[in-house]
């Protein structure tokens, strides 16, 4: 019997990539997305168009509106939910904090309530940003959380709500702390594709702190493999809230990544920008917990991932007009 899955944020980067994988694995998917204008709608619509299948149904809906959300999905019986819809972006949270309360906290409360009523399993996107500024690495799932921006705070709040719902209603819930996911079909506001976009627009590329900080870049192909293996083995876990870092487990110097991008493209219009207080100096996660399940032996190298992303971007520039 085919599994039926609800995936929110299906027009987003990770949402689209996971939908694409699950369709190949013969899952039936109902995908929900509000198609907001935070970034290029052409890119979001193209992702949805590429998911066309007899096993995929798309619903345009703002899940923060409980009555409308419940109305759209009332006739479905899902095996589990993958909640990836959210307002992303650390820097934008400084400009528009209310959007994060609406799209992250209110929406997640509705997802939890639906999960409670239907008694089904839930996977949801958290973020490495909940850790804030750390001094000891690699960061494991038991590390103290010190969010230093509104986006991170909403993610921490969601984790706390998930813990209570799981305990009170005996639910199996999985929180996925993603670390700097990149690759084909990525977001144009993130480092690597933003660099390529800057070239196209012939502007100066802003590099924070002169590139003197670190990120645990995780290739999208590895991310969806890790999540998929967790989905398959979810019944082995007790009905509780379990957190997983989703990361390569290797931190890389941003200046080194920038140098590779410059050599790849021969683009040298770089402008140094002071590191904001809302930004963390370093992310470096431990993936031991999730890799006991996914058993990935060879994570994709950053340079492999950048090349794949660059060639994809070169073939899809028109989507960014």
């Amino acid at each position: 019997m085919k599994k039926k899955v609800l995936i929110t944020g299906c027009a987003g980067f990770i949402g689209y990539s996971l939908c694409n994988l699950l369709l190949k694995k013969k899952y039936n998917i109902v995908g929900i997305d509000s198609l907001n204008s935070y970034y290029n709608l052409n890119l979001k619509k193209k992702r949805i168009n590429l998911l066309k299948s007899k096993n995929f149904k798309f619903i345009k809906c703002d899940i923060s509106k409980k009555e409308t959300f419940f109305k759209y999905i009332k006739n479905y019986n899902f095996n589990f939910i993958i909640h990836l819809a959210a307002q992303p972006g650390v820097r934008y949270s400084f400009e528009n904090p209310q959007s994060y309360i609406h799209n992250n906290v209110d929406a997640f409360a509705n997802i939890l309530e639906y999960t409670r009523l239907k008694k089904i399993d839930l996977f949801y996107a958290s973020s490495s940003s909940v850790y804030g500024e750390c001094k000891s690495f690699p960061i494991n799932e038991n590390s103290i959380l010190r969010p230093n921006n509104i986006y991170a705070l909403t993610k921490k709040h969601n984790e706390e709500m998930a813990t209570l719902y799981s305990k009170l209603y005996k639910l199996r819930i999985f929180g996925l702390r993603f670390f700097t996911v990149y690759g084909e079909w990525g977001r144009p506001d993130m480092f690597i594709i933003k660099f390529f976009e800057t070239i196209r627009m012939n502007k100066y590329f802003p590099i924070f702190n002169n590139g003197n900080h670190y990120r645990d870049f995780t290739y999208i192909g590895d991310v969806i493999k890790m999540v998929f293996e967790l989905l398959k083995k979810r019944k082995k876990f007790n009905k509780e809230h379990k957190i997983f870092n989703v990361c390569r487990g290797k931190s890389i110097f941003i200046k080194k990544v920038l140098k590779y991008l410059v050599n790849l493209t021969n683009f040298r219009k770089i402008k140094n920008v002071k590191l904001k207080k809302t930004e963390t100096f370093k992310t470096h996660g431990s993936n031991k917990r999730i890799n006991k399940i996914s058993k990935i032996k060879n994570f994709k190298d950053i340079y492999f991932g950048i090349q794949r992303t660059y060639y994809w971007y070169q073939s899809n520039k028109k989507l960014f007009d």
Side-chain angles (χ1 to χ4, degrees), residues 42-55:
N42 290 333
L43 182 57
K44 295 182 180 182
K45 290 177 180 178
K46 181 65 174 179
R47 290 174 182 147
I48 293 296
N49 288 337
L50 289 173
L51 293 172
K52 282 185 177 178
S53 162
K54 65 179 181 179
N55 294 329

Side-chain angles (χ1 to χ4, degrees), residues 227-252:
V227 175
F228 179 63
E229 291 301 318
L230 188 58
L231 296 177
K232 290 195 300 180
K233 296 168 185 173
R234 71 188 190 281
K235 294 292 186 181
K236 294 183 179 181
F237 291 87
N238 295 327
K239 290 191 175 182
E240 59 185 15
H241 181 215
K242 194 75 171 175
I243 294 287
F244 292 87
N245 286 340
V246 182
C247 59
R248 183 185 177 202
K250 184 176 181 180
S251 195
I252 189 164

